[in-house]
Amino acid sequence: MIALGGVIGAGLFVGSGQGIVAAGPSIVLAYAASGILVMLVMRMLGEMSAANPASGSFSVHAERMIGPWAGFTAGWVFWTLLCVAVAAEGIGAAHIMTEWFPSTDSWMWVALFMLLFTGSNLAAVGNFGEFEFWFATLKVAAIAAFLVLGVLAILGVLPGTDAPGTSNLTGHGGFFPQGAEGLVTGLLASVFAYGGLETVTIAAAESEHPRKGVARAVRTAMWRIALFYVGSLLVVVTLLPWNDKSVTDKGPYVAVLNHLDIPGAGQIMNVVVLVALLSAMNANIYGSSRIAYSLVARNQGPRLLGKISSGGVPRYAVIASATFGFFAVLLSYWWPTTVFKWLLNMVGAATLVVWGFIAVSQLRGRRRTPQDQLLVRMWLFPYLTWAALAGIVAVLALMLREDDTRIQLYFTGGLTIVLAVTGYLRQRMTAARRAEAAAAAS
């Protein structure tokens, strides 16, 4: 359920509207292309995680297959990404609550959500799983109902609707109304909507049967991506003109439900979006704390964060991750156009950095892993691994074309270089200390 829910996030419910406006009906191709890239990355990560489950996930694999500096860099880049994402999701959830309760302040809701999920993550790992199970259940039910209603409307069998045919797909400027430039913009938007899937391999390490759990989750990634993302967006652009103002004003899913004259559609979808945001907050507090704990356990961070409670929870890592996230929220109020924007830019391309480390780790690690441990295997190795790496580089190159994404790339690149240099220096210092200790012992 965590794997299913991880696919259905705020990026789909909210962020896809901008992608539709940028690319028109061709947004379906953009999500399909980036979905193939995500599927390859998850297959590589699944191969390594099923063979060697670890709460540090790709950070552990990068350290084993590339070197300690790589594990340090990938881990702390991802930790920063998740903490900033907690802040962004908390702000988004608070915005919905203040619309429902206009007399309240958004900071009150952010504080409430942060306390709720920090408390649940501090208590026991089972609490995280319980919250995510019900969050995922609601999101899956919502998107399934949307798909059923959408398909019925497309076929013209839903009461009060007529089959639209291909009029919205080929009219209003055609399938590529904004040309290749629009498709590129939509592609960049779609890549980052898939972020967060990596959390399932972190959670799998603490499950009862980690190897089997992650293997099953990864194997079903293909149909989840095809059905939930590509399928639902195809429904949206088939039923509504891509340039309909309601697509961005109300969000594509609310716009479709309103078009179908579903009673209370706006509020129903607002509840689902709120759940998606809260689910992401919960998952990111969990994921960031486990990444931080794993890094400390491997002597890659402050020792204080490595302390474990009687319930097996890295409490100090949870508190540190939640505190950073809440501090980022305060920055959004104090300096929304400077410091907080810098934070957002710093993690703008972090997902691609992590994917790059995953691909290189799998490429180097396949031959080092005993064949009987490979419950999941990357397809057509090493050709598709190289193809995924080429795809990641291509997306990074496309980011250089756009002003906003170019700035994100520079900021994320700067953060990655600083962490890589720090990790390399730490690696050299550790090696020197070990050499000295060995010489003294001899």
Side-chain angles (χ1 to χ4, degrees):
M1 289 305 294
I2 290 171
L4 283 167
V7 180
I8 309 169
L12 175 63
F13 289 122
V14 182
S16 56
Q18 296 297 328
I20 292 172
V21 171
S26 67
I27 191 66
V28 176
L29 296 182
Y31 269 83
S34 55
I36 291 172
L37 177 59
V38 173
M39 185 176 61
L40 294 178
V41 171
M42 285 303 297
R43 188 77 183 186
M44 290 184 280
L45 181 57
E47 176 182 296
M48 296 183 290
S49 296
N52 297 287
S55 61
S57 188
F58 50 82
S59 174
V60 173
H61 306 318
E63 180 173 333
R64 291 177 61 247
M65 303 306 172
I66 304 173
W69 71 269
F72 179 91
T73 306
W76 287 115
V77 163
F78 195 65
W79 182 83
T80 307
L81 165 65
L82 293 186
C83 290
V84 175
V86 167
E89 288 139 5
I91 293 167
H95 178 71
I96 293 175
M97 297 304 294
T98 53
E99 287 186 346
W100 291 342
F101 304 96
S103 61
T104 60
D105 294 322
S106 59
W107 70 264
M108 297 166 53
W109 294 108
V110 173
L112 176 63
F113 296 145
M114 293 297 293
L115 288 172
L116 173 65
F117 294 123
T118 301
S120 69
N121 275 279
L122 284 173
V125 67
N127 288 346
F128 165 74
E130 191 73 18
F131 269 109
E132 278 306 291
F133 172 80
W134 292 110
F135 281 153
T137 299
L138 181 57
K139 288 190 289 184
V140 170
I143 202 71
F146 177 84
L147 286 168
V148 170
L149 290 172
V151 170
L152 291 177
I154 289 172
L155 297 175
V157 297
L158 192 70
T161 61
D162 297 319
T166 60
S167 60
N168 292 323
L169 295 174
T170 57
H172 311 284
F175 194 73
F176 298 92
Q178 307 282 29
E181 197 67 30
L183 181 61
V184 168
T185 304
L187 177 65
L188 293 176
S190 66
V191 166
F192 301 110
Y194 287 112
L197 272 173
E198 304 87 355
T199 305
V200 70
T201 60
I202 298 174
E206 296 188 62
S207 65
E208 187 176 359
H209 304 290
R211 298 183 68 194
K212 292 181 180 178
V214 72
R216 182 181 179 187
V218 169
R219 283 173 179 150
T220 57
M222 183 185 296
W223 69 264
R224 289 200 306 270
I225 290 171
L227 182 64
F228 293 145
Y229 271 86
V230 181
S232 64
L233 284 173
L234 182 58
V235 166
V236 171
V237 295
T238 301
L239 290 175
L240 282 179
W242 65 272
N243 54 359
D244 191 313
K245 288 185 178 181
S246 63
V247 170
T248 51
D249 291 346
K250 299 184 179 298
Y253 295 85
V254 172
V256 167
L257 292 175
N258 285 338
H259 173 72
L260 299 179
D261 205 20
I262 305 295
Q267 291 305 322
I268 293 171
M269 192 51 65
N270 270 336
V271 171
V272 174
V273 172
L274 177 64
V275 168
L277 288 164
L278 295 180
S279 171
M281 282 186 71
N282 187 38
N284 289 340
I285 290 174
Y286 170 84
S288 58
S289 67
R290 271 27 179 208
I291 282 287
Y293 168 73
S294 174
L295 286 162
V296 172
R298 292 178 277 129
N299 196 30
Q300 301 271 32
R303 292 184 180 179
L304 176 66
L305 303 184
K307 292 187 177 181
I308 296 288
S309 70
S310 58
V313 174
R315 288 187 174 179
Y316 288 106
V318 171
I319 292 171
S321 299
T323 300
F324 187 96
F326 191 71
F327 181 65
V329 173
L330 296 178
L331 293 177
S332 77
Y333 294 134
W334 296 335
W335 299 291
T337 60
T338 54
V339 181
F340 186 66
K341 188 173 182 179
W342 293 344
L343 267 179
L344 291 176
N345 284 332
M346 280 172 60
V347 298
T351 299
L352 292 167
V353 172
V354 170
W355 290 356
F357 277 113
I358 290 172
V360 174
S361 299
Q362 192 269 337
L363 192 64
R364 293 172 64 92
R366 164 62 80 87
R367 294 181 178 86
R368 303 183 193 177
T369 306
Q371 296 300 299
D372 59 348
Q373 292 185 19
L374 294 175
L375 298 185
V376 177
R377 292 174 181 268
M378 179 61 180
W379 305 296
L380 297 177
F381 177 82
Y383 306 109
L384 285 184
T385 300
W386 281 110
L389 268 172
I392 293 167
V393 172
V395 173
L396 290 171
L398 289 174
M399 289 184 72
L400 287 171
R401 291 163 48 97
E402 308 291 331
D403 290 338
D404 290 342
T405 54
R406 186 187 305 120
I407 293 172
Q408 292 176 9
L409 189 58
Y410 291 158
F411 271 84
T412 307
L415 173 66
T416 304
I417 290 171
V418 169
L419 288 172
V421 171
T422 304
Y424 181 73
L425 292 176
R426 287 174 58 89
Q427 179 178 323
R428 292 289 300 269
M429 290 170 62
T430 301
R433 284 196 299 265
R434 287 176 180 172
E436 290 175 3
S442 60

